């Protein structure tokens, strides 16, 4: 192989490895390095055949250009500098490092002690210095051409008021599907069979668990497990290799194009709060060896890391070049990969500074002003594990936020926990107490009853406690507060009465989700009745525990869920941008929310304070002069009854109109019919009446 090795100065931008038609320009940021060596490998990626120092350094960016290099070239870096952990520096040129801007990686690290920058087992181990070459075990970065014919691709840009999010795992969604090609890959996720399912269900966006290249943690590999969820990012530009058939990033782009053609947006779950390198006892794979003191937030004892994430380290977003990497990554996935939005994992960690969390932190300001990111959906997971880390409602517009308070309110109300009706009432109307400020819309609340982290919906009604022994941590991991109910039998049951009660509870919770103001999110598989056998922390279960069981799908519940989504889409009053307010809380002067008792009288403070309150009845109206009003969408009357059967007085209909019962979760195949006077409300059910023209 005749490999060109003559290097010229090249340019300090753009960062990464870029093919310009004549060769490849390499640029790597390191503020504290003394020398950066580019390592080139043969076509197989196995043999290191050239080591070339980058000849120039401009404003801490090391760079060089090699004419004749082509896309597909495997490469890595060895970075020289002080090994002074007490000062925050952990340079070790014996360790091959990936390019943080690599568009493609060859695979995963092969676990070996040589991946560590220090000598395992040595006294005060991380202060020692390991001279073993990590190249045989480290992944390679690969030069990518970066051209893809998008044709007529156009992002759907679905308004938030019409958005229904489907949280899914690339691999788990299709691994057990009987009729897709390449199960578990990007290709399968956008197959004809899956597109048909999305259309039948009615979702408008898929929120994918991390697709950035990530690490299989050593402790999992040694237990015969794998990192399944992917919240251990190795590279912020490279797609996860296990989700591709041939390693071509165009596989991801083709998936996006097919989903867009079907009207489905793609939202990525991204992890910019920490990396896979862990604490001072973790491996040296990229950032630690490139410039530890710049990339990570270090403690006062600079050997240690500030850990607001629970994963050993926290990225130093306050550093301008780390912030630049995050911004470049976000823009890359929008401009080159055409994604439609991001969900930021542990987003509170991104806004942390010396004084704690700041809604006006640099990263939020940078994102808000960016013209590329201004057109995509932005969702925050509004917490981390640091002090004061729970920040629900504290993020600036245009961020949406995962609302775990909605989840807990729905589960506990339907479990008949005392005193939970007022909380659920607030959640039904968009969690105004948290979000109705600073000009934020009601769509700011991402409502969900189940997500990847926790019980599936089927398990919420089948297990009273978590069953996580398969994770190898003796059942200690995962949340203990699940607000779940097993109806008297833990796990599977063949008792018809228990099965019926569980099915009814699932319908009630799904109906509650899709009747609430805000932006609904459904966990993939919940519509099928998927169970994880009581495991509420299946982060390492890359197997049938997590993979959706398409053979055993609950088709009746799938039909019900699709019907509820269609009902929501048909009735704009359920998905308004503005918050609804009752008389005493009306800010805009419009009374459009009426809480009623079963006898039809308005709710009083004493009613709300009754711990035995099990029934919520609410009339939602649309303000005159709005497009919804013009479309005859005037009012909906919803009853959520976690108690016994009761007669509910229906509000008086205006002249020329009538109330019709459109939904009763105890009769999922109900045909709409007029109701006058009183509604015979079944026990533990949801009913919805719509105000319609009488003729």
């Amino acid at each position: 192989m005749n490999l060109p090795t003559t290097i010229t100065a090249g340019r300090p931008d753009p960062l990464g490895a870029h093919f310009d038609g004549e060769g490849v320009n390499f640029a790597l940021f390191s503020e504290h390095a003394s020398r950066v060596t580019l390592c080139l490998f043969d076509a197989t990626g196995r043999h290191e055949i050239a080591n070339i120092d980058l000849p120039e350094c401009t404003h801490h960016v090391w760079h060089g250009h090699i004419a004749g290099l082509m896309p597909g070239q495997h490469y890595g870096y060895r970075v020289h500098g002080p090994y002074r952990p007490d000062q925050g520096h952990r340079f070790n040129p014996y360790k091959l490092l990936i390019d943080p801007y690599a568009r493609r990686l060859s695979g995963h690290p092969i676990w070996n002690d040589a991946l560590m920058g220090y000598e395992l087992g040595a006294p005060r181990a991380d202060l020692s210095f390991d001279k073993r070459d990590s190249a045989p075990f480290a992944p390679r970065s690969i030069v990518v051409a970066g051209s893809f014919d998008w044709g007529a691709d156009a992002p759907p840009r679905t308004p938030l008021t019409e958005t229904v999010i489907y949280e899914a795992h690339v691999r788990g969604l299709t691994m057990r599907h009987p009729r897709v090609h390449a199960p578990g890959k990007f290709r399968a996720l956008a197959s004809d069979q899956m597109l048909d399912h999305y259309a039948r269900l009615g979702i408008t966006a898929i929120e994918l668990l991390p697709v950035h290249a990530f690490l299989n943690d050593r402790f999992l590999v040694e237990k015969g497990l794998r990192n399944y969820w992917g919240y251990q990012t190795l590279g912020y530009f490279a797609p996860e290799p296990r989700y591709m058939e041939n390693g071509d990033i165009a596989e991801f782009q083709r998936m996006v194009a097919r989903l867009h053609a079907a009207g489905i947006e793609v939202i990525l779950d991204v992890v910019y709060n920490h990396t896979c390198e862990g604490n001072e006892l973790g491996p040296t794979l990229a950032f630690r060896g490139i410039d530890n003191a710049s990339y990570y937030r270090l403690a006062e004892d600079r050997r240690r890391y500030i850990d607001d994430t629970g994963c050993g380290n926290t990225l130093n977003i306050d550093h301008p070049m780390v912030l630049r990497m995050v911004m470049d990554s976000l823009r890359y996935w929008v401009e080159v990969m055409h994604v439609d939005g991001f969900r930021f994992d542990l987003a509170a960690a991104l806004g942390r500074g010396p004084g704690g969390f700041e809604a006006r932190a640099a990263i939020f300001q940078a994102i808000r002003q960016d013209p590329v990111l201004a057109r995509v959906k932005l969702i925050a997971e509004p917490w981390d594990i640091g002090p004061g880390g729970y920040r629900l409602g504290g993020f600036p517009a245009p961020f949406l936020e995962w609302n775990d308070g909605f989840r807990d309110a729905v589960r506990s109300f339907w479990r008949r926990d005392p005193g939970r009706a007022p909380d659920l009432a607030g959640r039904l109307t968009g969690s105004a107490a948290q979000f109705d400020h600073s000009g934020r819309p009601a769509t700011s609340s991402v409502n969900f009853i189940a997500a990847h982290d926790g019980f599936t919906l089927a398990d919420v009604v089948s297990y009273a406690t978590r069953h996580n022994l398969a994770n190898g941590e003796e059942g200690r991991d995962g949340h203990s507060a699940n607000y779940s109910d097993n109806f008297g039998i833990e796990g599977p049951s063949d008792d018809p009465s228990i099965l019926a009660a569980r099915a009814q509870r699932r319908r009630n919770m799904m109906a509650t989700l899709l009747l609430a103001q805000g932006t609904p999110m459904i966990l993939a598989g919940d519509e099928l009745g998927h169970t994880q056998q009581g495991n509420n922390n299946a982060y390492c279960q890359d197997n049938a525990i997590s993979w959706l069981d398409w053979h055993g799908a609950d088709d009746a519940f799938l039909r019900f869920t699709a019907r509820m989504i269609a009902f929501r889409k048909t009735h704009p009053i359920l998905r308004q941008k503005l918050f609804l307010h009752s008389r005493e809380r009306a800010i805009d002067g419009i009374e459009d929310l009426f809480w009623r008792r079963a006898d039809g009288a308005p709710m009083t403070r004493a009613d709300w304070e009754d711990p035995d309150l099990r029934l919520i009845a609410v009339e939602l109206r649309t303000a005159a002069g709005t497009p919804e009003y013009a479309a005859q969408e005037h009012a909906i009357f919803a009853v959520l009854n976690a108690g016994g059967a009761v007669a509910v007085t229906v509000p008086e209909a205006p002249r020329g109109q009538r109330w019709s019962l459109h939904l009763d979760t105890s009769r999922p195949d109900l045909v709409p019919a007029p109701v006058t006077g009183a509604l015979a409300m079944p026990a533990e059910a949801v009913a919805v009446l719509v105000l319609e023209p009488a003729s």
Side-chain angles (χ1 to χ4, degrees):
M1 175 181 181
N2 294 321
L3 185 69
T5 57
T6 301
I7 191 164
T8 57
R11 303 195 320 270
D13 63 90
L15 290 165
H18 290 270
F19 177 67
D20 60 10
E22 297 180 356
V24 178
N25 191 82
F26 296 90
L28 179 77
F29 160 75
S30 180
E31 183 173 345
H32 299 101
S34 60
R35 179 173 141 217
V36 173
T37 302
L38 172 68
C39 306
L40 301 178
F41 293 80
D42 68 3
T44 69
R46 298 190 186 122
H47 305 292
E48 193 170 348
I49 53 179
N51 289 273
I52 310 163
D53 287 348
L54 295 182
E56 293 288 339
C57 183
T58 304
H59 306 307
H60 306 306
V61 175
W62 301 77
H63 54 94
H65 182 278
I66 301 180
L69 285 189
M70 300 296 290
Q73 176 65 53
H74 292 238
Y75 71 101
Y77 290 108
R78 299 182 187 274
V79 182
H80 306 253
Y83 191 82
R84 289 293 305 273
D86 60 314
Q87 296 179 6
H89 301 308
R90 296 181 178 272
F91 294 101
N92 187 333
Y94 294 96
K95 309 306 168 183
L96 184 75
L97 308 174
I98 72 158
D99 181 354
Y101 278 71
R103 269 53 170 173
R104 178 184 168 194
L105 296 181
S106 61
H108 298 98
I110 301 169
W111 277 109
N112 186 279
D113 291 353
L115 293 172
M116 306 298 180
Y118 62 93
E119 296 178 359
L120 271 151
R124 303 181 73 192
D126 72 295
L127 295 179
S128 64
F129 186 79
D130 187 271
K131 294 186 177 182
R132 285 172 292 185
D133 184 10
S134 71
F137 313 103
R140 316 298 187 231
S141 304
I142 303 175
V143 178
V144 171
S147 60
F148 181 78
D149 183 5
W150 283 98
D153 179 68
R157 295 193 182 176
T158 307
L160 284 173
T161 53
E162 299 174 15
T163 295
V164 179
I165 299 172
Y166 188 66
E167 191 200 24
H169 188 282
V170 172
R171 186 166 164 83
L173 187 61
T174 62
M175 278 299 293
R176 300 176 70 187
H177 197 291
R179 294 184 294 110
V180 301
H181 296 290
K185 309 295 185 183
F186 292 130
R187 176 184 175 190
L189 191 140
S191 63
D192 290 342
Q193 293 82 0
M194 292 309 302
L195 294 178
D196 289 344
H197 179 73
Y198 308 144
R200 178 185 180 188
L201 186 56
I203 56 100
T204 68
I206 293 182
E207 182 178 304
L208 297 176
L209 269 69
V211 301
H212 291 167
F214 58 84
L215 183 73
N216 276 321
D217 308 75
R218 188 173 195 172
F219 79 96
L220 291 177
V221 173
E222 291 175 347
K223 291 191 293 187
L225 299 170
R226 286 211 295 185
N227 181 347
Y228 173 66
W229 286 350
Y231 292 95
Q232 288 283 48
T233 304
L234 177 59
Y236 290 108
F237 293 79
E240 167 55 32
R242 79 180 66 170
Y243 300 153
M244 297 186 285
E245 294 176 83
N246 303 307
D248 187 350
I249 67 170
E251 296 176 39
F252 181 92
Q253 294 165 312
R254 283 192 288 269
M255 176 197 73
V256 172
R258 283 182 58 84
L259 289 168
H260 281 180
I264 306 294
E265 293 183 304
V266 178
I267 299 171
L268 300 187
D269 195 334
V270 290
V271 189
Y272 295 112
N273 58 79
H274 76 280
T275 78
C276 67
E277 291 185 305
N279 63 17
E280 63 272 11
L281 299 179
T284 298
L285 302 169
F287 314 94
R288 173 174 285 130
I290 293 170
D291 194 345
N292 185 68
S294 293
Y295 275 106
Y296 293 117
R297 294 179 62 205
L298 302 180
E300 185 175 350
D301 175 0
R302 295 182 68 77
R303 281 179 62 194
R304 315 298 183 192
Y305 295 80
I306 292 174
D307 183 11
D308 291 326
T309 66
C311 298
N313 65 59
T314 306
L315 268 181
N316 184 20
I317 305 294
D318 283 342
H319 192 291
M321 293 301 287
V322 181
L323 176 59
R324 175 179 170 181
M325 179 188 71
V326 172
M327 296 298 294
D328 286 348
S329 171
L330 292 170
R331 283 189 291 263
Y332 172 78
W333 287 95
V334 174
E335 295 183 302
V336 177
M337 307 299 254
H338 282 208
V339 305
D340 305 282
F342 304 95
R343 179 264 191 189
F344 294 85
D345 178 67
L346 299 183
L350 304 180
R352 284 190 177 275
F357 176 84
E358 289 288 343
R360 296 178 61 84
I363 186 170
F364 303 141
Q365 300 288 63
I367 290 172
R368 293 175 69 193
Q369 63 79 40
D370 190 279
V372 172
L373 302 180
R375 62 177 186 256
V376 302
K377 292 179 169 65
L378 303 169
I379 305 170
E381 182 183 41
W383 51 78
D384 65 15
I385 68 164
Y390 187 75
R391 312 302 303 189
L392 181 67
F395 284 74
F399 281 89
L400 286 66
E401 299 178 37
W402 268 28
N403 189 348
D404 61 327
F406 181 95
R407 173 199 64 199
D408 296 346
V410 172
R411 292 185 183 187
S412 58
F413 174 82
W414 287 110
R415 197 175 66 169
R416 298 170 55 86
D417 292 358
R420 297 313 301 266
D423 187 15
L424 181 60
R427 306 299 177 180
L428 284 171
T429 50
S431 297
Q434 287 74 35
F435 295 104
D436 191 8
H437 62 83
S438 308
R440 302 185 72 181
T443 50
S444 298
S445 175
V446 176
N447 301 328
F448 62 98
I449 43 179
H452 69 274
D453 186 2
F455 277 151
T456 67
L457 179 56
D459 287 354
V460 170
V461 301
S462 303
Y463 294 90
T465 60
R466 63 188 186 270
H467 295 262
N468 297 354
L469 286 176
N471 296 352
E473 299 180 45
E474 299 181 354
R476 295 186 301 267
D477 61 304
H479 297 296
S480 58
N482 296 292
Y483 304 100
S484 59
D485 184 5
N486 66 11
F487 289 84
I489 294 179
E490 188 77 351
S493 173
D494 55 9
D495 184 321
S497 63
I498 290 177
L499 293 175
R502 289 175 174 178
Q504 178 69 25
R505 180 72 59 85
R506 284 193 290 144
R507 289 195 295 271
N508 290 344
M509 289 194 284
M510 185 62 75
T512 305
L513 171 67
L514 291 163
L515 293 172
Q517 303 293 320
T519 303
M521 183 184 80
I522 296 170
L523 174 63
D526 276 355
E527 78 279 14
L528 307 174
H530 175 66
T531 175
Q532 291 179 171
Q533 303 167 32
N535 192 320
N536 75 345
N537 189 33
Y539 75 103
C540 57
Q541 299 299 327
D542 190 3
N543 51 46
I545 290 176
S546 300
W547 302 342
L548 303 193
D549 180 8
W550 292 91
H551 289 286
D554 183 344
D555 198 61
F557 192 67
L558 172 58
R559 290 197 306 273
F560 176 81
T561 304
R563 180 180 179 184
M564 282 304 313
I565 293 174
F567 184 82
R568 181 181 181 85
K569 290 182 177 180
T570 304
H571 298 283
I573 198 169
L574 298 174
R575 43 186 177 82
Q576 300 186 66
K577 180 180 179 180
L578 299 179
F579 286 92
L580 301 173
H581 294 288
S582 55
R583 183 189 304 273
E584 62 272 17
R585 295 197 59 218
I587 295 174
D588 52 14
I590 300 172
E591 188 178 9
D592 41 27
L593 182 64
F594 303 84
W595 302 102
R596 304 191 186 281
R597 302 189 318 205
D599 63 5
M603 290 286 290
T604 66
R605 181 183 296 273
D607 293 325
W608 284 118
E609 292 175 350
D610 181 358
D612 294 324
L613 178 64
R614 299 283 185 269
L615 183 142
I616 297 174
V618 59
E619 182 181 353
L620 311 174
R621 293 186 181 176
T622 303
T626 65
E628 292 81 12
Y629 188 91
Q632 299 297 313
E633 181 70 8
H634 295 171
I636 278 179
F637 184 58
V639 183
L640 292 79
N641 180 26
V646 62
V648 175
T649 300
V650 176
E652 183 178 351
R655 182 183 298 274
Q657 295 180 305
R658 68 183 184 192
W659 290 103
S660 291
L661 180 64
H662 279 241
L663 172 69
D664 178 348
T665 57
S666 70
R667 295 179 288 163
D669 297 321
L670 170 79
V671 175
V675 175
T676 56
L679 170 69
M681 185 66 202
E684 299 193 39
V686 176
V688 180
L689 294 84
V690 178
L691 190 62
E692 300 175 331
S695 56

